[in-house]
Structure formats: C-alpha cells, structure tokens
Amino acid sequence: MGCGASKVPPTVDEPCVASDTSHHNPSSQHKKTKSERTATSKKYLAPEDEEERDFIAEASKEPQSRTQPDVCTQIPLPPAQKPVIQQSAVASGAGNVQQVANKEKTSPARQQSQPAEVMVIPQPPVGSPPPMDIALKREAAGKPVLAEVAFTDHLGAYGSFRFRGAEAANYLQRHGLQPDALDDYSWTRTSADKVAAAVLEWARSKGATMSTHWFQPLGSAGIRRGQTGQVHNAMFNFGKGGELEWCFEAGDLLKGETDGSSYMNGGMRATHTAGGYTVLDPSSPMWVRGDTLFIPTLFVSYTGKALDEKTPLLRAMQAVSTAGVRLLKALGHTCKSVFPNIGLEQEFFLVPKKAFRTRTDLQLAGRTVMGRAAPRGQELSDHYMSPLNAAALRCMKEMQHECFKMGIPLKTRHREVAPNQYECAPFFGLATVQIDENLLVMELMEEIADKHNLVCLLAEKPFKGINGSGKHNNFSLGTEDGLNLFNGPQMTKVTGNDQAFPVVMAAVIKAVHAHGDLMRMSIASPGNDFRLGAMEAPPAIMSTYLGKSLTSYLEAFKRGEAVGAYVEKKSFVHMGLDSIAPFAVPAEDRNRTSP
C-alpha cells in the first residue's frame, strides 16, 4: 500500500515514501518511535538548504534530494472538505500515489476501520519554490494564506489612492475648482473649504472614515528609523437624533493640535504654551491607506519653533529656491522656483521571524551586540544582483503593490551585497515628497514583512562583518519648467549663456567645501557611523569628484580660458565581438564617493 494507508499515518512534518504493493509487507507496519521516525527522515533527506528553509518559517522539513524517490507530505483535510479517501499505490512503479475518492456510503464500523483521512501532496525537488506547500500547511492550520500579488490585476487602481493630478481633478471640479488647483499652494488661504469638501468625497469613495495629520517628530532620527506621529480622528459624528453626520471641514484639513511638551523641545513646560500644532504641507499629496486619510503636515510649537524634521527641510528648500531664482535670472533665465529633486535607495535586511525572536539584541537594539559571525558571509560576492529568494520576492511584490496604489513609484527591486539584504528604489521626485514617501515605504516594509513571517531590519549596520544598509541619495536641482541645473548642454540651451553651467557647478562645489562639516553632521548617527568606512561605503569624509572631463573643464574656466559651452564627452567600449555593437559610457563620475 501507499504511504498514506498505514494504520498510524506520519505527522505533517514527517516525510514518507510511497512504494509498490508487490514489495510491501503490511504486517511490518507498527507505530514508530521518535528515534525510528528521525532515522527514517534522515535516510531520505538530502543536505539541508539553509537559506530557503530559514526564509519560510513554517517549512520545518528539510528539502529532498532529486535522486531520492518521490516524497509526499500528508495534511489532514479541513472538516468541510473530508470525503472518504481510499489510497492505493499504482502497481506500475514505486513512488506514485493515486487518490481514489470512495463515493459509496460505508457503515460506521467500516468507517472506523478506514485509515485516517489525509491528502497527499507531492514534495517539490530542491530548488523549486515552496509556496504551494506552505499555503496548504497554513490553510490546514487555520492560518490565512498569502496569495502572490500580480501587478497586472491591479493596474487600474495604481495611483488612485493618492489625491493629486487626474485622481483629484474630478473631485475638485465637482466643487467648483480648477483641476490643477492644488498646484498653486495659495489654495490653503483662498479655497480651503472647497478643497476639504472634495477631499472628503474622494476619501469616502476609497473607504476612509478616519483622518490623521501625519508628521515627523524630532528626537528619534538615527536611533529609531522611520518614526512618524499620527492621531486618527473620525470624519463623522452623530446628530441630536442619533443620525450619522459627516464632518470634515477646512479647519480639520489645515491644522491640528496636540500636546507638544512630550516631544523634544528644549524644555517647553509652561502649561499655557505646551501646545504642539500640525499644519498641512501643500507640497506633499494626501493619500488613503486602509480606513484612514493621511494628511502630511509640519509640527511646530506654540511659538512656531520646529518640533519635527520637515519644517527645517522646507525652510532650507525655500532658501535654496530664493537664491537659485536670483542666480538664474542673473544668468539669463527667469523661473518661479528652484527645488531639489532626490531619489532615495532603500536597503534593508529580511530575516525569518523565528530566528529574529531568538536574538534579543536585534529586538532591542536593531543590531548585533554580542555573538559570533556567521560561517559564511559575502566573500564570494554571490548575493548581489542574484535571483530573488522566492519568499523575499513575494514579500517585496506586496511592498511594491501597496506603494503603487498610493502613487509611490517604487520601480526597482533587487538583492544587495550581504546575505538576506535587499533594496527597493523609487523614481526621483521633489525632496519633501520623496522623504514622505520613503518614511511610508519603511513603515510598509516592516508591516508587510511581518505578514510573510519575516522581519525587516532597517538599522544601518545590523550585522558585523558584512555590509550595512545605506540609503543613497541621488540629488539634483531643477525648476518648474523642467530645467536640470546639473545638465550642462540643457543649461546652455535654455539660458543662452555658456557660462551658466560652470557658475552653478562652482557654487555647488564651494558649498560642499565650505559646509562639509554641516553635511557630515546631517548624516551622523550611531548606526550610520558603524557603517561608514566599510566595504559598502567610503570613509566618513565629504568629497566631490566630478570625473576628469568635467574637472579639467572647470579648471580651465577658473583660469579664465575661453572654454565655451560644456560638451558632454563620451567614450566607447568595444567588446571585440562582431555581434555586439560598441556602447557609450559617460565621462562624468557617478559620484558614489560621499557618504
């Protein structure tokens, strides 16, 4: 008989081998002891695949060898799906199990003599993704089964949970506003009531019943990554007759109040000035997640002092814009604003939740405090850009899916250098929006990893001896009409002045030289200083390297030579293969030389 027909069927975690009935002696069946079961398991198990097993918390069985007979896993059927199943082996060969549902009614006595009702699932060979096996086990245990996300099934919903652009235009027009009303930040003074009504209608259509002013409090940067502040309030109340009434007006949208004395504030304790105030940031779009409308805000004290990370950023951006507009006007181009565009590459580790729970130091400090190094690290450089682990891929796809719904362009996913290390990177955008989105991405990563029985580690250096997790910041300056101040040919074309580009570049280099200590301080934290200087990052110094072509051009410009417009120089790489065309590489450095 087959393996499922024994009087005492193996447990869920115990493999069994189906054999030909002509070579099987039923009388030899007996209840195995624990040591016998262990010996039987070891007989048919190949060397364990540590990485795959660790990534699937429920997969306690070790992978099977491709050269061994087919192995099956037995899972009790759910009560609602329990037909009487009779199992018999196919006489034509060992290792095949046939399931035959006995549709005939049987007497209670015969039912008692039937073997335990089980479902036989073939075990995949080593290297095969295990999601089906894990899904069945989770279902049998009464746990939710996580389906893999298919982006093509949700394309119509992507971007629709973010109140900006075409998604907002329809609702703004219904309330008498122009479709691009949000682009002019003066709406906070002139038409806040109408915008609030449009936001409420849109949020309700997305299933939201709560709203929160979402801010970034001071104090935890460098210690606890990605912290945000939020208080959720219902957008409805009840009238005198007990009927539900929606109430979300301009005041609810623009400003909120909370206790500011509980945040780092320089000793603000006077009762009459202890209030902290959240004020809407019109440069960053609102979004809906779950049942809540999130409103990006600043957080300031009663006297207007910053209690958050965003207020200093917006003040710095305004200072850059004022100086940039003035400079460009002197160079021959008129614009309304100059703003920083950034793209933040988020690196992180995914580790099995079961393993994480055994590490008190990771739980409390986010990094290794004591212990020994793993027997294998990144010496072979075989993790970077390699195929994504199946469990990590399912997790990262759900991360991207949730981001796409809220219009976050999380374009890239790949493995990083260290084992179990990964990266997701967005398309670049306005600095304040990118930072808001990055904080939301970090929050999503932690929550979604937990659903997949993983833990997302965001600390800069969680493990000694292997790479830490950086967050490369791709930076540029632009204008509202699309001019990139770091693009030499474009600067010359738009301004009509071949000196515009070298002047802007000289100003940037001067700023890095004069204020390098301030820039270094802005990225200094206990976690990041553990990381800097290792294999994955340069020494903890500020530097600027532009490549030989641009450096020689600026040196000649500094000497007063007539250099003319900067022309981007490219060199070509020839592969020595007739079938492969030569390709161009830029002369400028990628500038991975600063922390």
Side-chain angles (χ1 to χ4, degrees):
M1 298 178 69
C3 62
S6 61
K7 293 183 179 180
V8 183
T11 63
V12 171
D13 292 328
E14 180 185 346
C16 58
V17 178
S19 59
D20 193 331
T21 54
S22 61
H23 301 287
H24 184 71
N25 182 6
S27 64
S28 64
Q29 290 292 324
H30 68 281
K31 185 173 182 178
K32 297 181 181 179
T33 64
K34 182 176 181 180
S35 59
E36 288 176 325
R37 290 198 303 269
T38 302
T40 302
S41 298
K42 290 183 177 179
K43 179 179 179 181
Y44 296 106
L45 293 181
E48 59 187 12
D49 183 344
E50 285 287 344
E51 183 178 10
E52 194 69 24
R53 189 191 66 176
D54 289 344
F55 259 90
I56 310 294
E58 291 92 349
S60 57
K61 291 192 304 299
E62 300 167 28
Q64 310 299 320
S65 169
R66 297 180 189 274
T67 60
Q68 296 292 343
D70 290 345
V71 178
C72 61
T73 300
Q74 298 187 350
I75 304 174
L77 288 173
Q81 303 177 8
K82 280 194 172 183
V84 178
I85 294 180
Q86 178 184 352
Q87 298 173 338
S88 62
V90 179
S92 58
N96 294 317
V97 178
Q98 182 182 27
Q99 299 181 4
V100 180
N102 184 2
K103 299 181 181 179
E104 299 178 358
K105 294 183 179 180
T106 57
S107 64
R110 181 173 180 180
Q111 289 181 3
Q112 291 178 1
S113 65
Q114 290 286 335
E117 299 165 1
V118 295
M119 181 167 53
V120 180
I121 306 298
Q123 187 80 352
V126 172
S128 298
M132 181 60 68
D133 179 54
I134 300 305
L136 288 169
K137 291 173 66 177
R138 292 179 65 88
E139 185 178 21
K143 298 179 180 179
V145 178
L146 298 176
E148 187 166 342
V149 175
F151 295 158
T152 53
D153 294 340
H154 305 277
L155 295 178
Y158 289 160
S160 65
F161 287 78
R162 169 181 170 139
F163 195 71
R164 183 58 62 89
E167 180 66 24
N170 292 333
Y171 294 90
L172 293 172
Q173 288 178 306
R174 291 179 193 174
H175 293 271
L177 296 171
Q178 294 297 317
D180 58 351
L182 299 182
D183 295 339
D184 182 358
Y185 299 160
S186 65
W187 69 261
T188 58
R189 298 180 177 87
T190 61
S191 52
D193 287 328
K194 293 182 178 180
V195 172
V199 169
L200 175 60
E201 183 183 355
W202 170 77
R204 288 179 59 185
S205 73
K206 299 301 179 184
T209 55
M210 310 288 289
S211 68
T212 182
H213 279 200
W214 186 80
F215 60 96
Q216 303 155 29
L218 282 171
S220 63
I223 305 297
R224 180 181 174 188
R225 282 139 293 278
Q227 183 183 8
T228 62
Q230 48 193 279
V231 176
H232 296 208
N233 292 296
M235 294 190 290
F236 59 85
N237 210 332
F238 296 93
K240 294 181 179 180
E243 68 280 4
L244 186 145
E245 298 176 348
W246 291 94
C247 50
F248 183 79
E249 301 175 348
D252 304 305
L253 176 64
L254 297 180
K255 184 177 72 71
E257 181 178 355
T258 187
D259 178 14
S261 65
S262 297
Y263 290 95
M264 294 187 178
N265 51 52
M268 180 179 68
R269 288 294 182 270
T271 303
H272 63 289
T273 60
Y277 298 89
T278 54
V279 184
L280 177 137
D281 172 18
S283 69
S284 189
M286 293 168 271
W287 70 90
V288 165
R289 184 172 180 232
D291 69 345
T292 305
L293 167 68
F294 288 81
I295 306 168
T297 62
L298 291 70
F299 185 47
V300 298
S301 71
Y302 180 84
T303 57
K305 294 183 179 179
L307 301 179
D308 66 341
E309 303 277 2
K310 175 175 275 194
T311 301
L313 170 66
L314 290 175
R315 289 172 177 169
M317 289 173 62
Q318 180 171 304
V320 168
S321 181
T322 300
V325 168
R326 180 185 174 194
L327 175 61
L328 286 179
K329 184 176 181 180
L331 294 173
H333 179 64
T334 301
C335 62
K336 296 180 180 179
S337 63
V338 174
F339 47 81
N341 286 315
I342 63 173
L344 298 171
E345 304 174 12
Q346 182 66 57
E347 297 176 356
F348 56 97
F349 282 84
L350 289 175
V351 299
K353 189 188 300 183
K354 184 177 180 180
F356 176 78
R357 288 172 176 168
T358 67
R359 293 288 302 273
T360 305
D361 51 355
L362 288 181
Q363 296 177 50
L364 298 181
R367 59 178 296 270
T368 300
V369 176
M370 60 184 297
R372 63 179 183 179
R376 176 176 175 269
Q378 59 192 49
E379 298 85 358
L380 299 179
S381 299
D382 57 346
H383 195 268
Y384 190 48
M385 302 293 182
S386 64
L388 290 166
N389 176 285
L393 177 59
R394 290 194 298 274
C395 180
M396 294 174 74
K397 287 179 71 173
E398 186 173 351
M399 292 175 183
Q400 288 182 291
H401 167 67
E402 291 296 329
C403 288
F404 292 158
K405 286 166 57 178
M406 293 175 286
I408 300 175
L410 204 64
K411 290 177 63 69
T412 304
R413 67 186 185 213
H414 64 86
R415 286 198 182 201
E416 263 296 335
V417 175
N420 285 17
Q421 188 184 35
Y422 299 86
E423 177 182 299
C424 286
F427 194 72
F428 72 89
L430 182 67
T432 181
V433 177
Q434 282 278 309
I435 292 172
D436 284 356
E437 291 178 350
N438 179 252
L439 289 171
L440 181 55
V441 166
M442 294 166 72
E443 182 179 320
L444 284 169
M445 285 178 168
E446 291 182 326
E447 293 180 6
I448 293 172
D450 182 73
K451 292 169 58 179
H452 290 260
N453 282 316
L454 302 171
V455 174
C456 177
L457 301 180
L458 295 168
E460 295 90 344
K461 192 71 173 179
F463 303 109
K464 182 180 179 181
I466 58 176
N467 279 13
S469 296
K471 191 182 300 186
H472 291 127
N473 181 357
N474 302 280
F475 170 81
S476 65
L477 292 172
T479 66
E480 76 279 358
D481 54 2
L483 174 61
N484 181 355
L485 274 63
F486 293 172
N487 186 320
Q490 187 185 24
M491 280 284 288
T492 301
K493 180 180 179 180
V494 171
T495 63
N497 183 354
D498 59 13
Q499 295 187 354
F501 176 66
V503 167
V504 168
M505 292 305 302
V508 172
I509 296 170
K510 173 66 174 179
V512 174
H513 176 73
H515 304 292
D517 54 348
L518 183 62
M519 298 179 69
R520 175 66 180 88
M521 183 180 68
S522 69
I523 53 92
S525 66
N528 209 25
D529 280 359
F530 273 112
R531 182 183 71 90
L532 295 176
M535 174 181 175
E536 77 275 17
I541 59 174
M542 303 306 300
S543 61
T544 304
Y545 179 69
L546 305 176
K548 292 182 179 179
S549 176
L550 185 53
T551 298
S552 60
Y553 172 82
L554 293 177
E555 289 286 353
F557 180 78
K558 183 176 67 172
R559 293 191 297 267
E561 300 177 11
V563 294
Y566 177 71
V567 178
E568 183 181 9
K569 295 181 179 179
K570 294 183 179 180
S571 59
F572 287 85
V573 176
H574 296 267
M575 301 295 294
L577 297 169
D578 295 337
S579 59
I580 306 297
F583 62 92
V585 293
E588 295 81 12
D589 181 56
R590 290 191 65 195
N591 200 20
R592 297 290 291 276
T593 55
S594 292

